Amino acid sequence: MSEFFSRMISNCGYEVLTISSEDEFSSLNEDEIGIIHACIINELQDYDEFFKTYEYAFRSHNIKKAPIILITSGDEDLEPSVVSKTFHISRKVNFNFSELTEKIHDAILL
């Protein structure tokens, strides 16, 4: 599903980064971070660690944060801290792709 979202969002003209491990984000340099329009994360082992790394990377380079899109496999309840830091949570059912791309567009223009 994350591959589908990544392709579709990219086809709309946005640079998308897909993360499936906390370590993947910490290895990016300023140029790579600066072009990200949206960050898709699959279910991670340690959300808190990812959010700390994510916030630090953007803040340390004075770059506006890219929206985080969380892809989940089911309808499980997520911790409120994860929900509050996530721009969009997509589950396997009932998502509206055009609504999501419109939200990303609006977030980038802010």
Side-chain angles (χ1 to χ4, degrees), residues 29-108:
N29 65 40
E30 181 177 358
D31 292 335
E32 293 168 319
I33 293 169
I35 63 170
I36 299 169
H37 291 128
C39 181
I40 296 176
I41 57 173
N42 292 311
E43 296 178 51
L44 302 175
Q45 295 298 317
D46 188 344
Y47 287 106
D48 288 335
E49 188 61 35
F50 168 77
F51 287 125
K52 282 181 200 170
T53 304
Y54 186 81
E55 298 274 344
Y56 177 77
F58 282 94
R59 193 170 49 250
S60 66
H61 297 301
N62 291 318
I63 298 171
K64 181 181 170 187
K65 290 187 297 182
I68 296 175
I69 301 166
L70 172 63
I71 307 290
T72 73
S73 60
D75 290 329
E76 73 279 2
D77 290 333
L78 296 167
E79 290 181 33
S81 65
V82 172
V83 174
S84 69
K85 295 177 182 176
T86 304
F87 173 73
H88 177 80
I89 298 172
S90 185
R91 308 201 185 267
K92 284 194 172 184
V93 294
N94 299 329
F95 66 88
N96 182 324
F97 186 75
S98 59
E99 180 182 309
L100 172 59
T101 53
E102 186 176 311
K103 284 176 63 179
I104 292 170
H105 179 76
D106 292 346
I108 291 167

Side-chain angles (χ1 to χ4, degrees), residues 26 81 110:
S26 59
S81 65
L110 289 178

